[in-house]
Amino acid sequence: MTYSINKSNKDNSNSVATDEQLLTKFERAVCALKTLSAGNRTLLHASDEQELLYDMCQVIVKKGGYRFAAVAYAEHDKDKSIRWMETIGIDKAFMETLNYSWSDTEMDRSAVATAIRTNQPCVGRRILTDSLYEAPAYIPLRENAIKSGYAAVTAFPLHASGEVLGALVMGATEPDAFDDEEVSLLSELADDLAYGVANLRMRIQHQAAEATIARLAYYDPLTELPNRTFMLERLQDAIHTAKQQHHALALLHLNIVRLRGINQVLGYRSGDQLLQQLTQRLKHTLKESDFLARVGESEFALFLHTEEADYAIRVAQRLAKVLHDSVEVAGLMIDPRVSIGIALYPEHANEADTLLRRANAATNDVCLARGGYALYKGGREQECARRLSLIGDLRQAIKQNELLLYCQPKVDIASQRVCGAEALVRWQHPVHGMLSTMEFIKLAEYAGLITPLTHWMLDAVFRQSHAWYKEGLERPLAVNLSVHDLYDPLLVDRIQDLFSTWSISPELIQFELTESVLMEEPSVALDALTKLKKLGIRLFIDDFGTGYSSLSYLQKLPVDSIKIDQSFVMPMATNNNSAVIVRSTIELAHNLGLEVVAEGVDNQAVWDLLATMGGEVAQGYLVSMPIPAEQFNNWEDEWIRMSG
Ligand code: C2E
Ligand code: MG
Ligand code: MG
């Protein structure tokens, strides 16, 4: 035990004590013991660190009869400063002005600083009379002792987990206070206090860890929304209450259709940004009491207490509107495409997870329904299972090169000469036979398989074009691109590589993009088309007339031709409205310097009308159905023979 610096300060324990001295010594030991036991009780009840320090100082002053008690913590800053945490019986503000530090300098010989530095109790006695305290370093201490009415002081280090947290310091009015026995008892008190502080800190750490674990188990860290586990628990409770109170519930399932594509093409960080922005929009729209959760990678769910489906539909309409506006992600304006499915309790399911599954299944019908939402319809589950198994089969078919390249001729109307062909993919399923191209293209888009499908198609088309070229045939082939292809930053490089691999000139490969695709993401489309155009490729707007594009927008696009959609062409010989639309489209295109291809030319009357209207190219069953690429030469020989 380190006592203060001067021998004269030391307890005179070897000299014969008087009765009075013995009595005082005994009384002091009793005081220290009382303090110790009251301190222990305080420890048992402590729940807050600051409160514990306060209570302990109170015990020392009130129960122990000491003049003052204080706790100071050692800061590990560059000045090794001392922070006064609690003081009773001395002025905290005054102690702070002393700017004590626990560094080992002449001016830092206070009991507190010494106890912290040496990790030993430090006793100072007869402060008011001992000549030791006349040294400059002790002047503030003596002044404080006079001011606060104490004549002896002891500081005890507070050590926990091998570290000195600070010191417990106390003062007594008697100049000879704090003999060995008392110091030994009070040391225990300081140890108990340090243990109590460490224990409370550990408890806080445990509570924080438990809270983190609970958050991880029940919340989505990205959006900070409740996760699926939490949502299902709350939904099950809500169903339970709804059952008892005989009211209905609606569950809305929101699917961010574009998220997968954005993750794949722009990266997960962009996908995360999209989700966070959509979460903010939803939170602003919904009431605090609405339970919104993130239930899957690209899925949110919301449940509503409602009496009828109409209310759920109104909420879905409101959300669809709010989510419709584009979101800026990675410098691009992106339409997130949100589908909202609705399922109702008790109409569609009685269990939380079935209700969620059915609301999710309803999102598959959204493209059919207007307005971005759809109510669950029974009997869809089988259809969903079929779609799921087809997705797996399609992935396999692309990998194992089981797709087929079909070509449909395009003929120049004036000369009747074949001027190219459209490349169309076909899939002969081992069980279901030849599948509808429309169906599996949609499936590929939905399942994120369009990029590998387009890559397969590009390889097949370049190989075919090269084969024809070697036979002396310069027959342009047009490939259809999907909206997801426009997001593929590697597409243009890939096409460029294929041109150099197969030594094919740019006039022999063309691309078709449907008008609706171009309208969905105008800036992305313009960017991709400009890059393709730079390669010298001819570009077509497909299914023209179905996408509401404006004249001014068309003028900005680097395209060469428009293909009038077959829904206008097919009936034009019998329906005057269609004929008017086709005629004005041809005029419009010609005014813009664009060539016109008519799709769906399936009878002679249509062909003749197109010829009088000045349409340049015809494609349709009148000329030929799409045929396997290897049959094209035979077909063309026959065509020349028939038309020649
Ligand atoms: P599209 O690009 O507008 O292709 C024309 C579609 O019209 C083809 O259907 C073709 O068989 C059909 N068609 C052509 N002439 C006639 C006709 O006189 N009467 C009728 N009733 N139909 C005719 P298909 O091959 O089933 O393709 C459907 C759509 O699937 C295509 O429409 C295109 O958007 C898409 N598609 C086809 N192949 C690919 C591909 O390789 N990649 C991508 N991304 N989409 C493709
Ligand atoms: Mg096409
Ligand atoms: Mg078309």
Side-chain angles (χ1 to χ4, degrees), residues 408 422-426 437-438 441 450 453 457 480-482 485 512 514 542-543 566 570 599-602 619-621 626:
Q408 187 176 33
E422 175 169 7
L424 294 159
V425 66
R426 291 290 180 267
T437 307
M438 280 292 200
I441 291 284
I450 205 71
L453 187 141
M457 200 59 180
N480 290 282
L481 292 180
S482 276
D485 294 319
E512 296 187 6
T514 60
D542 206 350
D543 302 346
Q566 40 185 278
M570 279 179 185
E599 299 182 306
V601 180
D602 60 1
Q619 178 183 347
Y621 292 175

Side-chain angles (χ1 to χ4, degrees), residues 16 43 102-103 156 172 196 268 358 397 440 484 551 557-558 597-598 625:
V16 181
L43 268 184
W102 53 280
S103 57
F156 300 90
Y268 284 99
R358 301 217 153 138
F440 76 83
H484 297 273
L551 186 61
L557 295 176
V597 181
M625 303 259 296

Side-chain angles (χ1 to χ4, degrees), residues 256-305:
I256 321 298
V257 180
R258 288 281 163 75
L259 183 73
R260 184 196 283 255
I262 290 166
N263 279 339
Q264 283 174 355
V265 175
L266 299 176
Y268 284 99
R269 192 172 297 182
S270 300
D272 288 353
Q273 274 174 17
L274 176 73
L275 284 168
Q276 282 166 329
Q277 292 194 44
L278 293 180
T279 306
Q280 286 316 316
R281 272 194 207 171
L282 287 168
K283 278 185 176 168
H284 279 131
T285 318
L286 297 171
K287 287 185 288 197
E288 194 96 327
S289 56
D290 290 333
F291 195 89
L292 175 71
R294 184 174 173 210
V295 294
E297 191 193 9
S298 59
E299 299 157 34
F300 294 95
L302 170 75
F303 72 80
L304 308 164
H305 297 267

Side-chain angles (χ1 to χ4, degrees), residues 439-470:
E439 185 191 4
F440 76 83
I441 291 284
K442 253 195 208 153
L443 210 58
E445 283 173 343
Y446 168 79
L449 289 173
I450 205 71
T451 308
L453 187 141
T454 301
H455 290 175
W456 183 90
M457 200 59 180
L458 285 170
D459 288 345
V461 161
F462 273 84
R463 184 174 295 112
Q464 185 59 60
S465 184
H466 176 77
W468 282 339
Y469 184 73
K470 281 187 80 180

Side-chain angles (χ1 to χ4, degrees), residues 527-544:
D527 191 48
L529 290 189
T530 309
K531 285 182 183 149
L532 289 172
K533 196 69 221 159
K534 275 199 186 133
L535 300 179
I537 297 170
R538 244 181 119 73
L539 301 173
F540 294 73
I541 299 183
D542 206 350
D543 302 346
F544 187 82

Side-chain angles (χ1 to χ4, degrees), residues 197-399:
V197 168
N199 215 19
L200 283 177
R201 288 184 184 179
M202 195 138 48
R203 206 186 293 168
I204 286 169
Q205 276 174 3
H206 282 168
Q207 280 165 352
E210 275 167 19
T212 308
I213 290 167
R215 277 199 79 73
L216 287 175
Y218 279 104
Y219 284 86
D220 163 48
L222 179 72
T223 58
E224 294 182 356
L225 289 174
N227 63 13
R228 188 172 57 230
T229 311
F230 194 7
M231 212 273 319
L232 285 173
E233 279 182 19
R234 287 291 284 273
L235 183 59
Q236 197 56 51
D237 290 348
I239 288 177
H240 185 69
T241 316
K243 226 177 242 172
Q244 288 172 340
Q245 297 174 357
H246 306 287
H247 68 75
L249 283 175
L251 186 69
L252 270 58
H253 190 280
L254 288 71
N255 186 24
I256 321 298
V257 180
R258 288 281 163 75
L259 183 73
R260 184 196 283 255
I262 290 166
N263 279 339
Q264 283 174 355
V265 175
L266 299 176
Y268 284 99
R269 192 172 297 182
S270 300
D272 288 353
Q273 274 174 17
L274 176 73
L275 284 168
Q276 282 166 329
Q277 292 194 44
L278 293 180
T279 306
Q280 286 316 316
R281 272 194 207 171
L282 287 168
K283 278 185 176 168
H284 279 131
T285 318
L286 297 171
K287 287 185 288 197
E288 194 96 327
S289 56
D290 290 333
F291 195 89
L292 175 71
R294 184 174 173 210
V295 294
E297 191 193 9
S298 59
E299 299 157 34
F300 294 95
L302 170 75
F303 72 80
L304 308 164
H305 297 267
T306 173
E307 282 309 319
E308 78 282 18
D310 278 8
Y311 174 66
I313 287 172
R314 281 200 302 278
V315 174
Q317 282 170 334
R318 190 154 50 87
L319 295 183
K321 219 169 170 186
V322 166
L323 298 171
H324 178 265
D325 290 343
S326 300
V327 178
E328 191 178 341
V329 172
L332 298 170
M333 292 308 289
I334 292 194
D335 164 12
R337 271 290 185 90
V338 183
S339 311
I340 305 176
I342 307 168
L344 305 170
Y345 162 84
E347 208 174 320
H348 300 137
N350 288 320
E351 296 292 328
D353 48 356
T354 319
L355 199 61
L356 181 64
R357 191 153 43 84
R358 301 217 153 138
N360 186 1
T363 60
N364 293 329
D365 294 333
V366 166
C367 46
L368 308 173
R370 293 248 153 239
Y373 66 89
L375 200 60
Y376 175 75
K377 291 193 208 88
R380 287 273 161 179
E381 255 119 282
Q382 261 180 327
E383 175 56 20
C384 284
R386 181 182 119 94
R387 280 161 62 97
L388 272 182
S389 92
L390 276 184
I391 288 171
D393 296 347
L394 179 58
R395 185 175 284 120
Q396 227 29 42
I398 299 171
K399 253 197 214 146

